[in-house]
Amino acid sequence: MDSKQGRTDNGSNGPRGIIDPSTLVAHDPHDEKHQGAVVMPIYQNSLFTFSTYEEFDQAMAGDDDIPVYSRGHNPTVQQLERRLAALQGGEKARCFASGMAAISTAILSQVRSGDHVLCVDQAYGPTRELLSVFLTQYGVETTFVDGTSIEAFHAAVRSNTRVMYLESPTTQTFRLQDLRACAELARSIGAVTIIDNTWATPCFQNPFEFGIDLVLHSISKYIGGHSDIIGGVLIGSESMLRRINRSEYLLLGGIMTPHSASLTMRGLRTLPLRMEKLEQNGIAVARHLEQLPFVRKVNHPGLPSYPQHELAKRQMRGFSSLFSFETDLPPEEMKAWAGRLTYFRIGVSWGGYESLVTVGRSVPGRGSVQGSIVRLYIGLEHPQVLIEDIEQASQGLGGG
Ligand SMILES: *Cc1c(COP(=O)(O)O)cnc(C)c1O
């Protein structure tokens, strides 16, 4: 066997022994079963057959992750799962039809009727709805806490707290939680920690380093990276993922298709490259916005002015390009401003190549009845073009 074919997923260590993401995404461990195909083929089939009943029985036992039926395992999806586990520094990963499928499966796998969940109060809206509306019907209660304060988590702990659900940074106001402190608290009360790591990506934050148990991402954002896939991934220890696989994963059935897995692997090839560029673009535009007279504050963890900047530097290796700014100007005026932008499209989601804008209502600022919170996603366009676009759209705005 060629020594290159013997490389494992962990064979791409950087100079100091840390996994280097740019090398990892460029080198798949080869598998002689695929004729040396440089890209993993799309296994577009529902079931797998066996030449002997012995082999079939062994596959059905399930412990070796041998594909039997594509709701369980599919080789294309499995390849992506190995790549994502390695990139995030976890033992095992499972991919899902969406980020929400990963989130609901992760939470459902850890709670039973009568249990209590602690959740960050700024978490993704549908996650909050799952906890505050859907799961209360099944006897699971949730307390939402200000994630910037570990004391707030402490104060909300109950004897039946089973899950601490984190999202750091959050994706409207970009607040962080101290991941090490959260993991320590959860461990001391026997609760499981789950984090939505979508904003930071595996490139910029490894929550396992701080003792977090389960890490999930919406693949629909940066990991996919081209605004053409909906998907999710859940990563954790071999034992936790095996338990989830046998139960919630197979029963809820929110699986990723092999075609989406192939597109995701294609996106993954450039993830480290894109993140490097997006970080620079995001910071450049955020710095410019800080100087504009109508901008009250910019919520970007990478800016030195950001209240949690020190914590952000401590637990992240970089900053992605979704952030918001707040202004005293009313949403109607900022919606007109968004409409004047040429290169920012109006729309939800983020993580692709294209810059995006949405406008919401913010808590009133000083001397103002109501202000706006404007969320910007900075894409791969030239940052100077985006800055000039913001300049032209801002002509004649109330504050400037
Ligand atoms: C989009 C998003 C999700 C949900 O992902 P889907 O793939 O849309 O289901 C979860 N968390 C965060 C932070 C998101 O931005």
Side-chain angles (χ1 to χ4, degrees):
M1 196 198 221
D2 182 323
S3 67
K4 280 198 173 109
Q5 294 193 324
R7 289 188 73 140
T8 67
D9 272 345
N10 299 322
S12 40
N13 288 352
R16 280 162 296 150
I18 48 165
I19 295 175
D20 160 45
S22 54
T23 311
L24 205 148
V25 295
H27 288 267
D28 291 341
H30 289 206
D31 182 342
E32 62 274 26
K33 274 186 283 196
H34 308 298
Q35 321 286 344
V38 68
V39 170
M40 179 70 172
I42 299 175
Y43 275 77
Q44 191 62 53
N45 51 304
S46 58
L47 70 115
F48 299 81
T49 59
F50 297 83
S51 44
T52 67
Y53 220 96
E54 227 177 324
E55 284 174 26
F56 180 47
D57 278 341
Q58 191 195 335
M60 288 296 281
D63 289 338
D64 299 323
D65 298 344
I66 300 168
V68 173
Y69 184 59
S70 283
R71 197 180 80 243
H73 288 296
N74 173 284
T76 313
V77 180
Q78 282 178 302
Q79 175 77 355
L80 173 63
E81 289 170 344
R82 285 190 289 267
R83 307 311 290 155
L84 288 171
L87 202 58
Q88 184 63 88
E91 286 176 11
K92 203 169 169 65
R94 291 256 54 188
C95 285
F96 292 84
S98 66
M100 274 314 294
I103 291 166
S104 52
T105 301
I107 294 173
L108 285 168
S109 75
Q110 302 303 322
V111 294
R112 302 292 176 261
S113 178
D115 286 349
H116 175 244
V117 176
L118 285 178
C119 180
V120 174
D121 62 2
Q122 308 270 315
Y124 183 63
T127 305
R128 278 181 284 144
E129 184 177 338
L130 175 75
L131 290 164
S132 64
V133 181
F134 188 87
L135 276 173
T136 55
Q137 304 171 106
Y138 298 90
V140 176
E141 277 187 56
T142 297
T143 305
F144 293 92
V145 301
D146 175 356
T148 60
S149 148
I150 191 69
E151 289 74 30
F153 279 110
H154 266 284
V157 166
R158 296 189 197 162
S159 59
N160 57 342
T161 304
R162 290 287 165 268
V163 170
M164 206 160 156
Y165 188 94
L166 310 173
E167 191 177 308
S168 183
T170 56
T171 56
Q172 290 295 336
T173 49
F174 305 90
R175 306 223 179 115
L176 279 70
Q177 298 102 60
D178 183 330
L179 300 187
R180 196 184 297 283
C182 286
E184 275 168 15
L185 170 61
R187 188 153 308 137
S188 76
I189 60 167
V192 165
T193 39
I194 305 175
I195 187 170
D196 183 331
N197 203 29
T198 305
W199 187 88
T201 80
C203 296
F204 289 159
Q205 181 164 265
N206 181 2
F208 294 125
E209 278 173 20
F210 307 107
I212 300 295
D213 298 307
L214 289 167
V215 177
L216 60 87
H217 296 267
S218 168
I219 281 176
S220 325
K221 311 294 163 57
Y222 284 122
I223 293 178
H226 296 75
S227 304
D228 54 6
I229 320 167
I230 298 287
V233 63
L234 177 65
I235 307 160
S237 69
E238 182 90 25
S239 65
M240 279 183 109
L241 267 284
R242 282 206 182 278
R243 231 178 307 128
I244 292 168
N245 187 52
R246 276 194 294 268
S247 181
E248 292 79 13
Y249 186 83
L250 287 169
L251 296 178
L252 298 174
I255 64 155
M256 173 174 277
T257 64
H259 191 254
S260 288
S262 182
L263 278 174
T264 304
M265 280 190 273
R266 182 171 161 141
L268 217 50
R269 303 280 183 206
T270 55
L271 179 68
L273 196 65
R274 284 186 281 117
M275 295 317 296
E276 203 179 309
K277 182 71 182 151
L278 290 166
E279 173 178 37
Q280 293 166 9
N281 288 5
I283 295 267
V285 177
R287 284 226 167 96
H288 182 79
L289 279 161
E290 266 193 317
Q291 292 156 20
L292 298 184
F294 65 93
V295 172
R296 178 156 34 93
K297 67 171 173 171
V298 179
N299 300 312
H300 187 310
L303 293 177
S305 63
Y306 191 72
Q308 292 178 293
H309 182 59
E310 288 309 312
L311 175 63
K313 280 200 294 187
R314 208 159 62 234
Q315 64 188 25
M316 292 193 282
R317 289 186 290 272
F319 306 103
S320 74
S321 64
L322 179 79
F323 62 91
S324 63
F325 69 84
E326 295 177 46
T327 166
D328 290 340
L329 297 174
E332 297 67 43
E333 196 161 346
M334 293 317 293
K335 285 178 185 173
W337 175 86
R340 288 195 295 274
L341 292 165
T342 306
Y343 292 100
F344 289 82
R345 299 176 218 200
I346 300 164
V348 297
S349 194
W350 41 277
Y353 51 87
E354 76 288 17
S355 291
L356 295 163
V357 58
T358 53
V359 177
R361 209 171 284 281
S362 86
V363 286
R366 283 181 301 274
S368 162
V369 194
Q370 68 190 194
S372 316
I373 182 159
V374 178
R375 192 174 78 166
L376 293 177
Y377 170 68
I378 307 303
L380 290 165
E381 302 91 343
H382 197 290
Q384 196 53 39
V385 171
L386 299 177
I387 287 170
E388 281 163 22
D389 198 15
I390 288 169
E391 279 296 306
Q392 65 79 18
S394 306
Q395 299 293 320
L397 264 185

